[in-house]
Amino acid sequence: MSELKKVAVIGASGYTGEELLRVLLRHPNTSIEAITSRQMAGKTLESVLGAVAKESPLVFENLSPTEVSGRADVFFLALPHGVASEFALPLLKAGKTVVDLSADFRLKDKGLYHQYYKEEHPAPDLLVESVYGLPELYRSELKTARLIACPGCYPTSTILGLAPALKKGLLKPDSIIVNSLSGISGAGKKADTLYSFCERDQNLMAYSVPSHRHIPEIEQELSGLAGEKVTISFTPHLVPLVRGMLTTTVAELRGEMDQAGWQKLYEDFYAGEAFVTVLGTDQLPETKRVIRTNHIEVAVRHDARTGRVLFFSAQDNLGKGAATQAVQAFNVRFGLDERSGLLG
Amino acid sequence: MSELKKVAVIGASGYTGEELLRVLLRHPNTSIEAITSRQMAGKTLESVLGAVAKESPLVFENLSPTEVSGRADVFFLALPHGVASEFALPLLKAGKTVVDLSADFRLKDKGLYHQYYKEEHPAPDLLVESVYGLPELYRSELKTARLIACPGCYPTSTILGLAPALKKGLLKPDSIIVNSLSGISGAGKKADTLYSFCERDQNLMAYSVPSHRHIPEIEQELSGLAGEKVTISFTPHLVPLVRGMLTTTVAELRGEMDQAGWQKLYEDFYAGEAFVTVLGTDQLPETKRVIRTNHIEVAVRHDARTGRVLFFSAQDNLGKGAATQAVQAFNVRFGLDERSGLLG
Amino acid sequence: MSELKKVAVIGASGYTGEELLRVLLRHPNTSIEAITSRQMAGKTLESVLGAVAKESPLVFENLSPTEVSGRADVFFLALPHGVASEFALPLLKAGKTVVDLSADFRLKDKGLYHQYYKEEHPAPDLLVESVYGLPELYRSELKTARLIACPGCYPTSTILGLAPALKKGLLKPDSIIVNSLSGISGAGKKADTLYSFCERDQNLMAYSVPSHRHIPEIEQELSGLAGEKVTISFTPHLVPLVRGMLTTTVAELRGEMDQAGWQKLYEDFYAGEAFVTVLGTDQLPETKRVIRTNHIEVAVRHDARTGRVLFFSAQDNLGKGAATQAVQAFNVRFGLDERSGLLG
Amino acid sequence: MSELKKVAVIGASGYTGEELLRVLLRHPNTSIEAITSRQMAGKTLESVLGAVAKESPLVFENLSPTEVSGRADVFFLALPHGVASEFALPLLKAGKTVVDLSADFRLKDKGLYHQYYKEEHPAPDLLVESVYGLPELYRSELKTARLIACPGCYPTSTILGLAPALKKGLLKPDSIIVNSLSGISGAGKKADTLYSFCERDQNLMAYSVPSHRHIPEIEQELSGLAGEKVTISFTPHLVPLVRGMLTTTVAELRGEMDQAGWQKLYEDFYAGEAFVTVLGTDQLPETKRVIRTNHIEVAVRHDARTGRVLFFSAQDNLGKGAATQAVQAFNVRFGLDERSGLLG
């Protein structure tokens, strides 16, 4: 592809926005035409990202949807839920492609949106149209998507950990217990003592128990894979590292399958995937190996003693769990090498 | 009590031994008569603990069971499993009281010991006699114990998190999924790159999947509480903090119980306990608040949506999970105020 | 002493206030009669400190100086500078003893106060009267002090590192270069992204260069020790740990002194001090050994190659650098064992 | 350049070797022909680096200099000092280009080598011939070098922080006090409790006082810049982060220069440098912004009060302080874009 795709990043001042910009700056097929932020308006990208942006002339602007619309063809929205749709609607109307990293278009059911986000959804039709930005599962749908709803970090790690098992119908759909450990950057860049160094270092805690907002999104996708209603228990935890997510899932086996069978199932399912690595039985996923990449490590272990199966996945919550995955979806959308800009 | 109890700490150079010494140094009812270590023999306690021991004349010695036997009345064993019994047997024979922090006398079933520790148990009779050093559950038995088998950190946090529920028969005994997060000090003081700063900081991983050695000990105690066979799935994780353990357990409810009922059950069960704090519904356990103490925070949450119950507990893996709990058991054994030396 | 001293802690909700309360709760000679905080008014001490305060009935109150005055005899002020004097003045007028942890009464020169704190000092007479709360240097003055101005963490570590050398006139007074590394808790409990986990973890930076507010306080005390004007370069750094401070000072030797001489000078100077440990030549100070204590480790090294001397000191910035040192000064003031409540 | 340069990495299993491989894997102008390691022989690169190497067929081999010599044209040596020259000598004799990351060829004076490394230098002639691999100062010499002696992390950060000042003769050559803070990865991948998570987290300490092995290398380069003998005091510290180095240097001004003058001097000196960023007076260097890059941030501050000047530099100790700088030197050597492979 000789031509550069013109992109803009809207709401670029949070951790996800920063990571997105770091990746897009080096992406061989994009030209960043605008970066917007209310808070950072007037500041150079270099003042935020540091020397990695020293050759970039980009400056944050405070632009409305109308003002920014003409500047690019593809818009990455790194905005809070609720705000994202305020940009997505006019941009789509103007014929643009939208890659949304918020929760606004992930749920198919407007009722669930209302229940978990306490607001009426502003554009229920788009819930139907949007494509879930998980390339490993929605590659063909992504190729023509106008609106890509990128999954968050918890859904990505849970879904990719379970997909092969559920697709084969090998798990009891009401037996799935998910525990997730998240680096603190998952909470965003907030001036809140809750996320201060002194409160989070040397500390562990669960939160949003038992009804984290990502549960319906996870269950929607797991149910789609299983072809039946899946109900999970999901417990997120804050652990003292900046980036990284480890998800441990335990479920009851339906039917029979030994470790060798599980291993083969997972390796076959993800064969050819550039960013999913199925580990052998000698290793378990570690976040260290995937930090600052779009990779996710997955492992499966059969526990003959209990008749349960354990699933593990490790990713960077800002990488495969957010920014780089959005770029991967963008690559798929525009027929680029899926790895373009993502192997640095 | 006007008289000081003469104690010795055997194998005092690891993290548990250090913590034990830190506590015993300030304990108003003990006199430390000997501290032993092969590695540290000849070094002063101050050179290891630093200034907190600057007023102590103690020096590490390399002493055999016979050599140390006459020096004290109570022996804390902070030794690896297998080695502990080499000290416990002659010391018991000499009429001493033994508080063992290793795994040697925790299991009642010598077959399980053999299966998980790959050796014949050297003194099966003592497995029967030993008292499990969890004061909240074995207070009366501890009062006359000759041999106290202190629980490790994973069992303590799991058992205290589930005890009220299991005792009431409120959980399906084969539905219990335990996830535990441990600070790195749980691995001991080892010259192994696996536990180096660069490998563990900014990193998360599960390990010993699916058959961690503490599983039979946990199941033994949970089964005892439930009055029926309990089988758990247990997954331990290493997370980047020095001290602290958070355990999250999910189980299926048997019968009916709402959040208020759970809250009352737990508060009643632990009423009067100096070291167990049942949190209200506005807080979840955090390790930060219990580090360097003998306290454990416990919380229970009913999830009406899934019919499951979630249990959380936070403790210091070297505190309530090891050294201070051993001192608490010692206090109970000798009729001292259970909090003696443990409120510092 | 059979009678308990009645104390109050004003502004008790920051990290220093918390640490002070943790220590005073176990202090055998104090009775905490009031704890005040605007923010935390109505909350129990247990809700802030966790289980270590579970046996305490204390509740934070929002009290004016007049309201709190009758409640206690000794008042610890853990307030921001400027606010502290608003409490100190009326409390002193009411005949109370004030132990101030702020910067309000540390400088003897009201001009310097104005220059560094940008305000006229409200009570210059008290600047003259206040006693600097560093027991190792002002023990006799503290015994009758009405107003104790406790030094901050940077001054404590710098001054105690240099005192023996300066008192002997062994350093060129304009050659002293101080570099200090501080744990993040030194910045207080602030809702500011600057102190968030994600900004401070895996990060190092110097700050307040070249004119940190503690410089005049440090120079005042060093000049007093030297009997001549001392001018220092002082550079503070934020490093990713919660608690701890390491200060490295380099200065040019005046006269002659070899390593053995330095060692003897320091050991003699601090002989008998309960909380200052002079390390031998085989060790350098480490914060790990003094965290959560009132201890400070000090070491001195002669560098024959350059003719300079290096001084190192390690302490807990919230301990010897703040809260526990205030308690030590209180102990001295009231004729208690200087170690009372501080060996836990 | 259409042709790929054939490179090999010798001793590739440490942190520097790993980082080098991570960068070379994505370098558009290199083909990695061999990676050697005694310890890791037989293991795939993927098993060490994780998924970032999943498309690479590379396997570690245990190869002698003779065995590896024919495999490539350029050899990166990531070996301990002493061992590096055992490879460098035969490889140079075979006409290869050697980029050595060890200390073996950095010192020009074989006497100093002997004094600090306790061994006779095996090839003093090469000390004379080798080019110091700091592209900002030795760019033209590097273009024809057969043997590049890459500076370590402490020298790089100290030298680049001081170069403009010393070159102008603006500092008193015996007044330079350097304090450096290093991430733990600087100690290498060693099975030593000294570098364990539990000993280094929440801990600060200075080490190798007052005679760190890098002092002669730093003084050699600073003296060269100044055109006169420079003697420094240098104190390295271990601080709890994996990667990153912050160096703070204080020196006495010779002559006159105000902040604006310093600022201009530094900006002019480093104008056009891709990897050195001179910060303005509103910011100080932070390691966070340069981690996993080849960038170094530099700042200078005049302290009118003391007549001293402060210099700050922040880099990644494994990046600009080691692996990526070696690649930068390689790029210069072979006439590539200096940024090739280094902007990822």
Side-chain angles (χ1 to χ4, degrees), chain B residues 158-169:
Chain B
T158 307
I159 296 165
L160 292 180
L162 291 171
L166 286 172
K167 203 126 191 200
K168 277 277 186 192

Side-chain angles (χ1 to χ4, degrees), chain D residues 56-131:
Chain D
S56 164
L58 287 166
V59 173
F60 289 96
E61 300 173 80
N62 184 2
L63 299 173
S64 70
T66 321
E67 289 165 335
V68 80
S69 180
R71 301 272 287 272
D73 299 315
V74 187
F75 291 80
F76 290 90
L77 310 185
L79 295 162
H81 70 87
V83 184
S85 52
E86 292 172 21
F87 276 80
L89 272 56
L91 289 168
L92 288 167
K93 206 162 280 175
K96 307 298 178 177
T97 304
V98 172
V99 183
D100 179 23
L101 287 90
S102 86
D104 274 5
F105 302 99
R106 295 172 187 162
L107 289 174
K108 293 298 170 196
D109 178 340
K110 68 180 176 179
L112 279 176
Y113 184 90
H114 182 250
Q115 180 186 337
Y116 278 82
Y117 294 93
K118 312 296 175 204
E119 285 169 48
E120 290 298 325
H121 195 280
D125 289 358
L126 289 174
L127 291 183
V128 180
E129 185 193 333
S130 72
V131 176

Side-chain angles (χ1 to χ4, degrees), chain B residues 26 46-47 49-52 54-55 201-202 273-277 283 289 291-293 295 339 343-344, chain C residues 26 46-47 49-52 54-55 201-202 273-277 283 289 291-293 295 339 343-344:
Chain B
R26 308 288 175 241
E46 185 188 358
S47 73
L49 290 192
V52 297
K54 73 184 284 187
E55 299 184 10
D201 196 47
Q202 304 296 313
E273 287 296 343
F275 295 112
V276 185
T277 299
Q283 271 190 314
R289 289 191 294 256
I291 289 305
R292 300 208 177 203
T293 78
H295 292 286
R339 303 164 308 170
L343 294 178
Chain C
R26 308 287 175 241
E46 186 188 358
S47 73
L49 289 192
V52 296
K54 74 183 282 188
E55 299 184 9
D201 196 46
Q202 304 297 312
E273 288 296 344
F275 295 112
V276 185
T277 299
Q283 270 190 315
R289 289 190 295 255
I291 289 306
R292 301 208 176 204
T293 79
H295 291 286
R339 304 165 307 169
L343 293 178

Side-chain angles (χ1 to χ4, degrees), chain C:
Chain C
M1 182 172 146
S2 54
E3 211 186 325
L4 296 183
K5 211 74 206 166
K6 291 183 180 175
V7 305
V9 178
I10 311 301
S13 65
Y15 291 126
T16 298
E18 282 184 15
E19 189 61 15
L20 199 48
L21 285 165
R22 226 184 311 260
V23 172
L24 291 173
L25 270 178
R26 308 287 175 241
H27 197 294
N29 312 111
T30 62
S31 160
I32 308 174
E33 299 293 325
I35 59 175
T36 83
S37 162
R38 250 177 309 194
Q39 274 178 279
M40 311 298 274
K43 295 205 178 173
T44 64
L45 181 55
E46 186 188 358
S47 73
V48 172
L49 289 192
V52 296
K54 74 183 282 188
E55 299 184 9
S56 164
L58 286 165
V59 174
F60 289 95
E61 300 174 80
N62 184 1
L63 299 174
S64 70
T66 321
E67 289 165 334
V68 79
S69 179
R71 301 272 285 273
D73 299 315
V74 186
F75 292 79
F76 290 91
L77 309 186
L79 295 162
H81 70 88
V83 185
S85 52
E86 292 172 20
F87 276 79
L89 271 57
L91 289 168
L92 287 167
K93 208 162 277 174
K96 307 298 179 178
T97 304
V98 172
V99 182
D100 179 24
L101 287 90
S102 86
D104 274 5
F105 302 99
R106 295 172 186 161
L107 290 175
K108 293 298 169 195
D109 179 341
K110 67 179 177 182
L112 278 176
Y113 185 90
H114 183 251
Q115 180 185 337
Y116 278 82
Y117 294 94
K118 313 294 175 205
E119 285 169 48
E120 289 297 327
H121 195 279
D125 289 358
L126 289 174
L127 292 182
V128 179
E129 186 193 333
S130 71
V131 175
Y132 199 64
L134 198 54
E136 288 78 7
L137 301 181
Y138 292 93
R139 193 166 277 118
S140 65
E141 294 85 340
L142 282 170
K143 285 178 179 155
T144 55
R146 284 199 312 153
L147 172 57
I148 298 174
C150 297
C153 46
Y154 290 126
T156 296
S157 67
T158 307
I159 296 164
L160 292 180
L162 291 171
L166 285 172
K167 203 127 192 198
K168 277 278 185 189
L170 287 163
L171 303 181
K172 295 189 191 160
D174 60 351
S175 76
I176 299 171
I177 311 290
V178 186
N179 267 266
S180 239
L181 315 183
S182 175
I184 311 299
S185 62
K189 198 190 276 184
K190 290 190 195 120
D192 186 333
T193 52
L194 182 62
Y195 304 118
S196 70
F197 186 86
C198 294
E199 295 302 315
R200 298 270 59 83
D201 196 46
Q202 304 297 312
N203 201 2
L204 304 172
M205 73 167 187
Y207 70 100
S208 291
V209 172
S211 300
H212 191 277
R213 277 178 168 172
H214 286 170
I215 290 177
E217 176 186 344
I218 299 172
E219 290 185 346
Q220 163 185 293
E221 295 302 313
L222 298 185
S223 298
L225 284 160
E228 61 185 323
K229 174 81 191 128
V230 170
T231 308
I232 64 168
S233 284
F234 173 75
T235 309
H237 300 73
L238 281 184
V239 293
L241 74 174
V242 179
R243 300 167 69 141
M245 172 164 288
L246 184 71
T247 296
T248 295
T249 302
V250 182
E252 286 175 44
L253 177 58
R254 184 158 65 183
E256 298 243 327
M257 185 79 128
D258 63 5
Q259 180 64 35
W262 281 108
Q263 200 67 30
K264 185 172 166 14
L265 172 68
Y266 269 64
E267 286 174 5
D268 288 353
F269 191 93
Y270 289 121
E273 288 296 344
F275 295 112
V276 185
T277 299
V278 178
L279 299 180
T281 52
D282 56 335
Q283 270 190 315
L284 285 169
E286 295 190 48
T287 57
K288 181 180 189 285
R289 289 190 295 255
V290 291
I291 289 306
R292 301 208 176 204
T293 79
N294 190 47
H295 291 286
I296 183 167
E297 290 188 354
V298 172
V300 55
R301 289 289 185 283
H302 181 236
D303 181 4
R305 199 182 73 94
T306 63
R308 295 201 188 94
V309 193
L310 291 89
F311 305 91
F312 301 91
S313 58
Q315 67 181 3
D316 185 338
N317 58 301
L318 296 179
K320 182 66 177 164
T324 57
Q325 176 153 272
V327 174
Q328 185 188 359
F330 162 87
N331 287 344
V332 172
R333 169 62 184 80
F334 291 101
L336 304 167
D337 182 335
E338 199 164 317
R339 304 165 307 169
S340 191
L342 295 174
L343 293 178

Side-chain angles (χ1 to χ4, degrees), chain A residues 4 16 26 41-42 88 107 164 173 180 184 193 231 248 277 298 302 315:
Chain A
L4 296 183
T16 298
R26 307 288 175 241
L107 290 175
S180 238
I184 311 298
T193 52
T231 308
T248 296
T277 299
V298 172
H302 182 236
Q315 67 180 3

Side-chain angles (χ1 to χ4, degrees), chain A residues 156-157 160 275-277 290 294-298 313-315 320:
Chain A
T156 297
S157 66
L160 292 181
F275 295 112
V276 185
T277 299
V290 291
N294 190 47
H295 291 286
I296 183 167
E297 290 187 352
V298 172
S313 59
Q315 67 180 3
K320 182 66 177 163

